[in-house]
Amino acid sequence: MLLDTKCNLLVLPLYVCRPFLNISTSDFAFQNGSSRNLSCALGDRIRLHSNTVLHMKKVFTLSFAFIAAGLWSQLLADPYIVTTQGIGQYGYLEKDATTYVRLNHGGFNVRELAARWWTGNEFLYYTGSFLSCTQNEGSTSDYSSANHNNWSAGTIAYVSVRFKDCAFNWNGTNYNERSFMLVDLDNTYGGPFDDNVTDNPTSTQNLVGSFTVNTGSNALTLDRLWLHNLGSAQEGSDIPNGAVRIYYEAITGSETYNGTESFKTIFGDYGGNSGSNEEWGSDDLNLPVSTAGVRCYVVVSDLATGFAVNNTAQFEIINDGISFQEVRDGSYNLLRANAVTISPAPVPLPIALHYFGAELVGQSILLHWETSMERNNERFDIQRSTNGLSWNFLATVPSRANHSDQLLSYTYLDEKPFIGANYYRLHQVDFDGKSSLSKIVKVEMDGHQTKIGAFPNPVSGNSVFLYCSEMEGNIQVRIFDPQGKLLNEMQFENETPNPFSLDLTGIPPGILFLRVNNEALQTLVRQ
């Protein structure tokens, strides 16, 4: 604002408001001779071009303190979209999500604000009339895709602010425009999803969720992704930290998960996140979204030791759980998205294999394994190797129950092992053809004869199996602690099916020694 005291001219480069000056329209004459309607109600402001010069017909004094306190802050601000609430926090909008627009008057005295949207057509969302012309902020109703053209992935939605003055007249100017890219987040996928999650899975197992991200031919990078488990499996005790992977590939229309895709790992404790809130994520995923879009597969790659049988995994993308590396309008990269479930149903964690071990007994090797749950299980194929790389079929052991929630034990005696290293693994096969591989166990065969073997070892339950080889007569088993104290003593007839089951009830955890018929000693660890 400039005041020319020699010419009695008042130069207003931005705005002037009569209530601030306490003058009427007759106090002014335009230098260029044109007539302008300056009539305004209390609180209104009149926009004048920067080259407009007004002649003063009256001589009056304006104090510089009044100018600084009453006008200057009012002259600089325009209505704007608030960036701490509603749509202003985001740079991207999921096409099926909604939110409101929070608007601020920016210094204008206004009766109402409106968010003006443009996606090929114009649509206004209103805050509703304010009770007075001094209210600062208001929120619009949620936007609806039904009101807009071109509402698809890749479309840019432009949002700006309009206002109604205190005389109830709408200002046609669009202030402080922002832009938002539409993204399509889809959870539809025909499978194949797994019927259950198994421990030590092969690359094609444990698929528990899937989703796509389509950005409408815009190549972007998925920076942030956070998932929440809606199932009963517990973070840490059931699903370990770092055991959730995101496999991904470009959308082709016929993509199917096979375990050969590239993957990223998300973590339960990423960035100091709580290790018990059932959330897994990363803020630095660096997962590429191609111009065709990306298909993501959620895979549980491992289960914790001693996890709870029958617990389930069912994942969702949390509310606003995605952002991109590419920012919009300077600093906004968060995607406005509703929480979306990406697992078709809760997937049980049955752990087909609870324990697998091998012991040298005499000139043979005894294999032992336990299952804590079986679903549709047909058989176990035992595979053997001398180097852990090349495998040969050794034998088949049928399932004791193709559907079971009880602890089941299996044994197999390899009577002709190789001299040297012997590697074993189990190939578990379902009736529907699905299969999984166990961990690998190794036993060295050096020609030394061992008469007894205990399994599992270490043992965490109240019983352990004892296999005896080449012993005559009845079997006497005594259990000692490290100080030589006798803890238990048992007798078995030699005709009793081998292996024998030893009862450990009441025996404290620690290192134990099993002595059989005073001639064979076996160390056992009870957990």
Side-chain angles (χ1 to χ4, degrees):
M1 176 180 290
L2 302 175
L3 182 63
D4 187 339
T5 55
K6 292 183 179 179
C7 302
N8 288 331
L9 296 180
L10 181 65
V11 181
L12 302 173
L14 295 176
Y15 305 95
V16 64
C17 186
R18 180 163 56 90
F20 289 140
L21 303 178
N22 194 26
I23 57 177
S24 69
T25 56
S26 61
D27 295 329
F28 296 94
F30 286 88
Q31 188 181 40
N32 60 12
S34 62
S35 61
R36 306 280 181 93
N37 182 9
L38 296 182
S39 178
C40 61
L42 182 64
D44 290 343
R45 288 186 290 179
I46 302 166
R47 178 184 288 272
L48 301 177
H49 294 294
S50 59
N51 61 351
T52 299
V53 179
L54 301 180
H55 286 277
M56 296 176 58
K57 292 183 178 180
K58 291 183 178 180
V59 178
F60 57 92
T61 302
L62 297 175
S63 74
F64 288 104
F66 172 79
I67 294 173
L71 286 178
W72 191 246
S73 63
Q74 301 284 332
L75 299 179
L76 296 180
D78 288 333
Y80 61 88
I81 298 171
V82 175
T83 60
T84 57
Q85 301 179 46
I87 198 175
Q89 308 167 79
Y90 307 97
Y92 299 85
L93 305 177
E94 203 284 315
K95 72 180 191 67
D96 297 318
T98 57
T99 190
Y100 61 93
V101 185
R102 183 72 175 176
L103 302 174
N104 188 286
H105 72 152
F108 281 79
N109 290 322
V110 302
R111 180 62 66 179
E112 188 173 2
L113 293 164
R116 183 257 191 187
W117 287 66
W118 177 265
T119 59
N121 69 315
E122 179 181 274
F123 196 88
L124 297 175
Y125 296 87
Y126 302 93
T127 60
S129 295
F130 298 149
L131 296 177
S132 70
C133 276
T134 59
Q135 186 166 330
N136 293 335
E137 291 187 2
S139 297
T140 70
S141 60
D142 287 348
Y143 65 83
S144 170
S145 60
N147 297 327
H148 303 282
N149 294 339
N150 307 318
W151 199 260
S152 59
T155 295
I156 305 299
Y158 297 93
V159 184
S160 54
V161 190
R162 288 184 181 175
F163 74 90
K164 181 192 291 184
D165 63 28
C166 291
F168 296 92
N169 297 312
W170 278 103
N171 184 311
T173 304
N174 300 313
Y175 294 100
N176 289 314
E177 185 175 78
R178 289 275 308 278
S179 66
F180 307 86
M181 179 184 291
L182 297 184
V183 174
D184 188 6
L185 181 63
D186 194 350
N187 65 347
T188 57
Y189 179 57
F193 289 100
D194 284 318
D195 297 327
N196 55 61
V197 174
T198 58
D199 200 16
N200 303 299
T202 64
S203 61
T204 58
Q205 288 187 305
N206 296 5
L207 175 63
V208 298
S210 179
F211 63 95
T212 59
V213 179
N214 190 330
T215 55
S217 300
N218 297 285
L220 299 176
T221 304
L222 196 65
D223 200 32
R224 175 178 179 268
L225 174 65
W226 282 89
L227 307 181
H228 175 245
N229 180 29
L230 300 171
S232 57
Q234 300 295 301
E235 180 181 349
S237 59
D238 292 324
I239 302 177
N241 177 48
V244 179
R245 294 178 177 179
I246 308 299
Y247 287 78
Y248 61 93
E249 62 180 328
I251 294 176
T252 62
S254 59
E255 62 273 8
T256 301
Y257 171 68
N258 59 26
T260 63
E261 301 85 357
S262 300
F263 72 88
K264 304 286 186 178
T265 301
I266 57 178
F267 299 89
D269 62 355
Y270 182 89
N273 179 55
S274 168
S276 59
N277 62 358
E278 316 310 328
E279 291 183 357
W280 284 262
S282 173
D283 294 338
D284 189 23
L285 204 59
N286 199 33
L287 191 155
V289 180
S290 72
T291 55
V294 65
R295 163 75 67 183
C296 295
Y297 309 98
V298 181
V299 175
V300 176
S301 62
D302 192 16
L303 294 174
T305 301
F307 78 95
V309 174
N310 278 332
N311 278 351
T312 59
Q314 185 178 26
F315 283 94
E316 69 172 358
I317 301 174
I318 69 172
N319 189 68
D320 296 345
I322 289 178
S323 66
F324 299 94
Q325 284 187 6
E326 294 78 10
V327 299
R328 302 190 58 79
D329 292 340
S331 60
Y332 304 97
N333 64 347
L334 185 62
L335 173 67
R336 169 68 195 108
N338 297 331
V340 56
T341 302
I342 55 177
S343 301
V347 182
L349 312 180
I351 192 168
L353 195 62
H354 180 66
Y355 167 82
F356 179 42
E359 296 280 348
L360 183 63
V361 180
Q363 296 297 315
S364 303
I365 295 178
L366 178 68
L367 305 182
H368 171 245
W369 63 99
E370 296 176 344
T371 61
S372 55
M373 175 188 287
E374 295 187 23
R375 292 286 185 272
N376 198 35
N377 184 28
E378 179 184 7
R379 69 183 191 270
F380 298 94
D381 290 337
I382 302 172
Q383 299 177 352
R384 183 175 64 181
S385 171
T386 58
N387 57 15
L389 300 175
S390 301
W391 296 89
N392 296 302
F393 171 80
L394 179 62
T396 292
V397 177
S399 170
R400 292 181 56 189
N402 61 49
H403 187 101
S404 171
D405 294 327
Q406 305 299 318
L407 188 68
L408 299 178
S409 295
Y410 298 84
T411 60
Y412 176 79
L413 187 66
D414 182 6
E415 297 178 333
K416 297 180 179 180
F418 298 108
I419 298 298
N422 289 264
Y423 297 87
Y424 298 91
R425 69 182 183 185
L426 299 176
H427 182 216
Q428 181 268 323
V429 182
D430 290 343
F431 282 102
D432 59 8
K434 290 184 178 181
S435 63
S436 63
L437 290 172
S438 74
K439 70 177 182 179
I440 298 171
V441 296
K442 176 186 176 183
V443 177
E444 288 283 348
M445 184 69 183
D446 57 7
H448 177 72
Q449 183 170 346
T450 303
K451 291 187 176 183
I452 66 173
F455 53 88
N457 189 6
V459 59
S460 57
N462 287 325
S463 64
V464 65
F465 291 95
L466 182 68
Y467 190 92
C468 299
S469 172
E470 300 181 6
M471 287 192 175
E472 298 179 356
N474 292 335
I475 305 297
Q476 181 191 51
V477 181
R478 293 186 293 173
I479 304 176
F480 298 90
D481 66 12
Q483 287 73 42
K485 179 182 178 182
L486 180 64
L487 302 177
N488 199 356
E489 182 175 2
M490 289 159 273
Q491 297 275 349
F492 301 94
E493 294 183 1
N494 212 349
E495 289 77 17
T496 302
N498 214 343
F500 309 106
S501 177
L502 305 183
D503 185 11
L504 302 180
T505 302
I507 296 179
I511 297 175
L512 305 173
F513 298 99
L514 309 181
R515 182 168 291 280
V516 180
N517 289 354
N518 292 322
E519 57 178 296
L521 186 67
Q522 170 74 44
T523 302
L524 177 69
V525 177
R526 187 172 190 206
Q527 296 177 332

